Amino acid sequence: MAKLAIIGGTGLTSLKNLEIINREVVHTPYGEPSGPLTRGAIGGKEVLFLARHGYGHTIPPHKVNYRANIWALNEAGADHIIAVNAVGGIRADMTPGCIVFPHQIIDYTWSRTNTYFEEGLTHVTHIDFTEPYCTALRQMLIDGARIIGLDAVEEGVYATTQGPRLETSAEIDRLERDGCDLVGMTGMPEASLARELDICYACCAVVANMGAGRGEGAITMEDIEQNLTNGMDRVRTLLELVAPQV
Ligand code: HPA
């Protein structure tokens, strides 16, 4: 039977609707993950949960140990991961509070450790990443959102920036010219590390704000937090429906 893990991002450090079974501190050859793995059940399905930024939300995007997180979940048996990520909207229909299931990603990050394939190799490995997200799991999220009538955008190109600062308005314009629809700081290398371990991985992004220069005035943490509170409640409802189907 498939084993599902959920990685919660900003605004989702816990799952209110998760019945917790236990918490497990794990160590990996790549260092410590962001926190203990929470084992629990959602909608009757056993799942693993990990808060990407730590349970107290203290680890910034560029300091997340992505390798340890994905390794720990894989070691715990996860073969499917739904990643929840807070993002900024670039395309006009990606407004605050809306949920997006990206189908593509462009990686603008730098200096993040981004592979398991670098030491002790018997041969050089290049994973196929033409389609960065698992089609079947993405489709389950899309179908689930349709069933519960969620205000969701069913595709988009996710630009992953280095952070932790937000972008300039010129950078957002450039990302748009590159074909990006949404921007966040945590999409990579998480997605490619999951692919390296052959884990079926899909992203559920929640728009926290319009990208720099696309909304009114400066982007404030208060606005981001408020939009995420609403959006994440809807994500929890979606996960309750989708998790048992995985
Ligand atoms: N840019 C990058 N990352 C983000 C944003 C943004 O506007 N909002 C939430 N995460």
Side-chain angles (χ1 to χ4, degrees), residues 87 94 98-102 151-156 182 203-207:
V87 296
M94 303 214 175
C98 124
I99 290 171
V100 188
F101 306 115
D151 171 24
V153 181
E154 297 184 356
E155 58 164 39
L182 56 152
C203 168
C204 175
V206 181
V207 180

Side-chain angles (χ1 to χ4, degrees), residues 100-120:
V100 188
F101 306 115
H103 69 294
Q104 275 295 335
I105 196 159
I106 300 182
D107 188 4
Y108 297 91
T109 66
W110 43 272
S111 83
R112 298 184 182 185
T113 311
N114 63 1
T115 182
Y116 296 111
F117 298 140
E118 59 182 7
E119 271 161 35

Side-chain angles (χ1 to χ4, degrees), residues 7-241:
I7 301 180
T10 302
L12 197 76
T13 47
S14 67
L15 280 177
K16 280 185 234 160
N17 45 0
L18 183 75
E19 294 157 39
I20 297 174
I21 298 167
N22 63 29
R23 285 212 168 86
E24 197 185 337
V25 176
V26 288
H27 307 283
T28 82
Y30 303 99
E32 306 308 303
S34 299
L37 304 187
T38 305
R39 202 177 291 275
I42 188 163
K45 163 92 175 177
E46 195 176 320
V47 298
L48 293 162
F49 178 79
L50 178 63
R52 185 185 289 112
H53 301 281
Y55 292 94
H57 201 263
T58 51
I59 310 170
H62 63 297
K63 290 284 188 188
V64 170
N65 189 340
Y66 295 95
R67 284 202 303 183
N69 285 353
I70 297 295
W71 191 269
L73 292 172
N74 187 58
E75 282 290 292
D79 50 14
H80 287 66
I81 293 178
I82 297 176
V84 182
N85 305 69
V87 296
I90 300 177
R91 215 169 74 193
D93 59 341
M94 303 214 175
T95 50
C98 124
I99 290 171
V100 188
F101 306 115
H103 69 294
Q104 275 295 335
I105 196 159
I106 300 182
D107 188 4
Y108 297 91
T109 66
W110 43 272
S111 83
R112 298 184 182 185
T113 311
N114 63 1
T115 182
Y116 296 111
F117 298 140
E118 59 182 7
E119 271 161 35
L121 300 178
T122 51
H123 57 276
V124 173
T125 304
H126 303 285
I127 53 158
D128 176 69
F129 206 45
T130 312
E131 299 297 335
Y133 298 110
C134 171
T135 312
L137 189 56
R138 228 187 112 245
Q139 194 58 49
M140 280 185 207
L141 290 168
I142 291 171
D143 292 344
R146 283 184 191 164
I147 289 168
I148 56 177
L150 217 64
D151 171 24
V153 181
E154 297 184 356
E155 58 164 39
V157 178
Y158 177 163
T160 310
T161 52
Q162 174 68 5
R165 68 165 176 84
L166 296 165
E167 297 69 38
T168 65
S169 59
E171 285 169 336
I172 293 292
D173 290 343
R174 184 186 83 154
L175 294 177
E176 184 171 51
R177 287 195 299 275
D178 280 359
C180 300
D181 302 307
L182 56 152
V183 55
M185 302 174 192
T186 51
M188 288 291 285
E190 205 174 83
S192 56
L193 289 168
R195 178 63 55 82
E196 285 189 353
L197 297 188
D198 221 8
I199 296 172
C200 175
Y201 175 100
C203 168
C204 175
V206 181
V207 180
N209 55 280
M210 291 310 292
R214 299 295 160 101
E216 299 284 312
I219 301 167
T220 67
M221 282 309 290
E222 290 74 42
D223 286 345
I224 288 183
E225 278 158 18
Q226 195 180 339
N227 291 325
L228 287 179
T229 305
N230 301 335
M232 291 303 172
D233 275 342
R234 291 181 303 126
V235 168
R236 287 188 188 92
T237 310
L238 177 64
L239 291 174
E240 216 167 283
L241 177 74

